């Protein structure tokens, strides 16, 4: 809930919220909640339209105990002092009244809307997870009681469609829709797409896409959030592609949705989501000495420890490009710890942030893990029942590894680093922020330091009436530290040591009042949540105590602050253009030297020849020999392997990930929703029909030819090594150039080259 300033305010506690707090103590306790729900989800605004969650309430009226005249929805009704609540599990007359009401409501809904999913959806597998059927079974309802001829033989409404199979990925059976509005809130509140809404009146009421268009003809991005949220078979999926299991040490097998839902840890994760994502959770059995991952490997998955012991080691030396290297004896270890099933999970932060692994993970003895991909982990970590557990794990052990990968904390002496972690551990508080909410605004007084645990933050700097610099921060980032030091533009002319000594003198001179020792600084940027975000926060007083007690860290923060302030005054004529074109986050940008390039297009031809027709059934290119100019170079339209991969945000089937060289790789189970292409700010992802999976439609009446439709599929540059078989990338676009005009380099290397040339 937001206040007038757009900031988070606590939502009132409902009866259902209170029941959750009372009954859910451990993962898997959700089944103990005595209030069934259909239209309600904990992360959505309560709307109370299904009335399955009704309860009997007693309160005080004129000083006497009195019952409410009607049953009220628990998902929406707030709790009050002195309130008595009777649920369907309560004995006696009040419980009987609730049970009968819930039973009749579910029977009426089931009579019209409880049905199997239409083909080609996996009907039998989905039937076991139909929440309407589960609700009817829970209250002992007879789903056939109201299926009478008088009601079932009426003519279907002309206003309401029955089956919409226009989407290549999803099926919409309007006859199974119970108008719970969960798909509407999923589209509007959770994803912010605002495509689905109510349409029609009376018997013709239903959900519609845009102006009641077929799903495929609307603005739907086919992210799947509506399908996952739907409690019935109204929105289901087509099994269009299978996930390939990544190779690794030990044996592996795909986990079924039934196996995953039987594990208490996953209680609350939508079963329909797990069934749709089958193949993104894998069981792996390993032997002692097996390496699960190396420091520097791409972090595309996390490991849930089922059996055995694992050793996590963080090395002080920077990992080589591409990871996967073997360790030499005597390498300096910054951090080492043992992980067991009691620790639940390892590798989650690299997975969430799409960043390189920050540690080696090696098996100490034989055991088993469940390897889960990013979108499964994301669902797991956002469960209200699991939030406390993951906060505790983050505080107790993830903090050690996460901070070791942050530039501010890299290379600190191990002894001092250990003391720093122990200082931070008990002082962190945790908070959740919804998509679109502002964490703080530019110009606000600085009140704390933030560590980004889950999700991504947008950082925008306003100058001259508009935003001149916008970046995003991935999980594991720290933000808000500069303003806490109250370093001003007046300090730009001073050295790092001079500013450091001044701050130290102020803090040492006021050992009991650190907050008053340094004036309150003001935020230099506006930080906004791009999606659901989990943060760890250190308040200003604790931050100043940390600044005083850890001189190495203080010196680094001062140095970073002065560099940022000086960059604003930098007279480099290319710097603004460098920022505007987003080159600061490029790991591998394709540039063409215009003094040497003859426009022969051999780079594009080489790309087409290298990839052939394997991915899309026909030859396609992954680059365009055109783009913005930077100095004497053309920045070609081709994947830049960004430090912060915008394209990975929100992929509904996790088909896009990092490769061995941290390049972007798109897997074959891409469903063609186009979200990655929309998210890419540089136009480097191409949506092209996949002719290898084209569908032949039957001949229409009066037509002599059948229609062939190919589902779109994303394509982007993978540095010609999607499988990761090379020790270093060898992009064909570069070595195909006969004039040595094509280069792959980082954004900072390009800036240096252009600056020196001028």
């Amino acid at each position: 809930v937001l206040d007038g300033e757009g900031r988070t305010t606590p939502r009132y506690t409902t009866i259902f919220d209170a029941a959750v707090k009372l009954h859910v103590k451990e993962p898997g306790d959700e089944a103990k909640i005595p209030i069934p729900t259909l239209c309600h989800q904990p992360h959505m605004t309560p709307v109370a339209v299904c009335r399955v969650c009704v309860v009997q309430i007693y309160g005080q009226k004129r000083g006497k105990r009195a019952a409410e005249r009607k049953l009220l929805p628990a998902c929406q009704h707030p709790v009050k002092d002195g309130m008595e609540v009777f649920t369907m599990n309560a004995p006696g007359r009040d419980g009987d009244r609730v049970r009968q009401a819930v039973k009749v409501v579910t029977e009426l809904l089931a009579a019209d809307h409880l049905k199997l999913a239409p083909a080609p959806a996996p009907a039998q597998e989905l039937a076991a997870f139909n929440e309407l059927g589960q609700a009817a079974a829970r209250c002992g309802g007879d789903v056939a009681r109201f299926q009478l001829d008088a009601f079932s033989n009426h003519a279907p409404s002309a206003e309401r469609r029955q089956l919409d199979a226009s989407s290549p990925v999803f099926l919409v059976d309007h006859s199974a829709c119970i108008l719970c509005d969960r798909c509407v809130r999923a589209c509007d509140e959770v994803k912010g797409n605002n495509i689905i809404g109510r349409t029609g009146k009376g018997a013709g009421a239903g959900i519609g896409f845009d102006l009641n268009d077929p799903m495929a003809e609307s603005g739907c991005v086919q992210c799947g959030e509506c399908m996952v949220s739907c409690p019935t078979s109204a929105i289901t999926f087509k099994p269009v592609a299978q996930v390939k299991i990544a190779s690794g040490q030990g044996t592996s097998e795909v986990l079924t949705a039934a196996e995953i839902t039987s594990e208490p840890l996953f209680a609350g994760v939508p079963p329909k989501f797990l069934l749709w994502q089958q193949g993104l959770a894998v069981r792996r059995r390993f032997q002692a000495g097996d390496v699960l991952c190396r420091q520097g490997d791409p972090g595309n998955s996390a490991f849930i420890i089922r059996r055995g012991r694992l050793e996590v080691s963080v090395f002080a030396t920077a990992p080589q490009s591409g990871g996967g290297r073997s360790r030499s004896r005597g390498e300096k270890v910054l951090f080492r710890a043992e992980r067991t099933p009691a620790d639940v999970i390892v590798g989650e932060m690299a997975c969430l942030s799409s960043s390189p692994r920050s540690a080696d993970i090696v098996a100490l003895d034989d055991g088993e893990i469940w390897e889960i991909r990013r979108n499964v982990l994301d669902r797991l970590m956002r469960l209200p029942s699991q939030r406390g557990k993951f906060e505790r794990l983050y505080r107790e052990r993830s903090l050690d590894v996460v901070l070791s990968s942050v530039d501010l904390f890299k290379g600190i002496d191990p002894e001092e680093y250990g003391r720093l972690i122990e200082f931070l551990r008990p002082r962190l508080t945790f908070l959740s922020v919804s998509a679109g909410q502002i964490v703080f605004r530019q110009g606000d007084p600085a009140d704390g330091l933030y560590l980004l645990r889950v999700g991504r933050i947008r950082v925008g700097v306003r100058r001259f009436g508009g935003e001149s610099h916008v970046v995003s921060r991935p999980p594991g980032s720290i933000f808000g530290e500069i303003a806490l030091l109250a370093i001003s533009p007046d300090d730009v002319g001073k050295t790092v040591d001079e500013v450091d000594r001044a701050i130290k003198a102020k803090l040492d001179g006021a050992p009991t009042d650190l907050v008053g020792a340094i004036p309150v600084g003001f935020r230099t940027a506006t930080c906004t949540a791009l999606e659901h975000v989990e943060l760890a926060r250190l308040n200003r007083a604790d931050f100043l105590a940390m600044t005083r007690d850890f001189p190495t860290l203080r010196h680094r923060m001062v140095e970073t602050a002065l560099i940022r302030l000086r960059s604003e005054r930098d007279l480099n004529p290319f710097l603004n253009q460098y920022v505007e074109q987003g080159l600061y986050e490029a790991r591998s940008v394709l540039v063409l030297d215009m003094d040497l390039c003859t426009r022969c297009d051999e780079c594009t031809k080489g790309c087409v020849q290298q990839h052939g027709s394997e991915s899309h059934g026909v030859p396609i290119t992954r680059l365009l020999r055109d783009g913005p100019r930077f100095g004497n170079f053309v920045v070609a339209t081709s994947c830049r392997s960004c430090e912060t991969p915008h394209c990975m945000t929100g992929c509904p089937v996790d088909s896009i990930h990092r490769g061995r060289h941290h390049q972007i790789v798109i897997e074959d189970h891409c469903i063609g929703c186009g979200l990655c292409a929309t998210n890419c700010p540089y136009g480097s992802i191409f949506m092209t029909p996949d002719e290898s999976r084209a569908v032949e439609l039957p001949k229409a009446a009066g037509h002599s030819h059948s229609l062939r439709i190919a589902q779109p599929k994303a394509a982007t540059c993978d540095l010609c090594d999607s499988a990761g078989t090379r020790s270093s990338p060898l992009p064909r676009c570069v070595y195909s150039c006969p004039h040595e005009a094509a280069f792959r380099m980082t954004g900072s290397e390009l800036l240096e080259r252009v600056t020196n040339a001028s």
Side-chain angles (χ1 to χ4, degrees), residues 551-570:
T552 303
L553 185 64
R554 181 181 65 241
H555 191 275
R556 287 188 176 185
M557 286 191 291
V558 170
E559 183 179 21
T560 302
L562 291 177
I563 289 174
R564 291 183 181 179
L565 289 172
R566 287 166 183 162
S567 68
E568 296 176 5
R569 299 186 176 184
D570 197 328

Side-chain angles (χ1 to χ4, degrees), residues 342-533:
D343 295 299
V344 184
I345 193 169
V346 292
E348 71 277 11
M349 292 311 298
C351 178
L352 287 169
S353 62
S354 309
S355 59
R357 299 285 187 191
S358 56
D360 284 13
I361 303 179
V362 182
L364 294 176
D365 45 32
D366 296 356
E368 177 185 316
I369 58 166
W370 284 6
E371 184 175 6
I372 58 176
R373 295 275 284 271
R374 184 177 300 107
N375 51 350
V376 180
L377 174 62
D378 182 70
R379 289 272 175 181
L380 180 62
M381 292 193 71
R382 296 183 187 200
L383 289 176
S385 60
Q386 301 288 13
R387 182 171 293 123
K389 171 177 286 188
F390 282 110
E391 286 176 358
R392 176 179 57 81
L393 292 174
Y394 184 87
R395 188 193 302 274
E396 292 179 356
R397 61 178 179 81
S398 294
L399 189 63
D400 307 64
V401 179
V402 170
L403 294 186
S404 69
S405 62
V406 176
D407 289 338
L408 197 61
F409 297 90
K410 282 182 179 177
I412 294 180
D413 179 76
E415 182 180 350
E416 184 176 358
Y417 182 78
R419 289 192 296 108
L420 176 62
I421 294 298
E422 294 309 314
F423 174 88
L424 289 172
R425 212 185 300 277
R427 292 173 172 82
L428 292 176
T429 56
F430 298 92
L431 62 151
S432 300
V433 179
S434 301
Q437 282 188 240
I438 296 173
V439 181
F440 54 74
R441 285 189 172 90
Q442 187 172 338
D444 285 352
D447 59 354
L449 173 75
Y450 294 91
L451 286 77
L452 186 55
R453 295 178 52 236
V454 178
R456 294 178 184 274
I457 286 288
R458 179 184 187 274
V459 181
V461 179
R462 291 188 64 82
R463 291 191 183 91
F464 313 113
E467 282 190 324
S468 61
H469 188 186
V470 177
V471 298
S472 64
R473 302 290 186 202
S477 303
I478 288 179
F479 60 100
E481 75 278 9
I482 303 303
L484 290 168
L485 294 172
I487 299 175
S488 70
D490 296 335
D491 297 313
V492 170
K494 301 176 183 178
T495 66
V496 175
D497 290 336
E498 286 174 339
V499 178
D500 184 50
R501 283 196 298 269
I503 293 175
K504 181 180 185 301
K506 291 178 182 179
L507 294 174
D508 290 344
T512 59
D513 184 22
L514 295 179
V515 175
I518 293 181
V520 177
F522 296 92
R523 301 297 188 187
T524 58
T526 298
C527 289
T528 309
L530 285 173
E531 51 189 328
H532 175 88
V533 164

Side-chain angles (χ1 to χ4, degrees), residues 691 694-701 703-710:
E691 297 294 341
V695 178
E696 196 86 18
L697 297 183
K699 295 179 181 178
H703 293 271
S704 58
H705 300 287
S706 58
L707 183 63
R708 180 180 172 88
I709 297 179

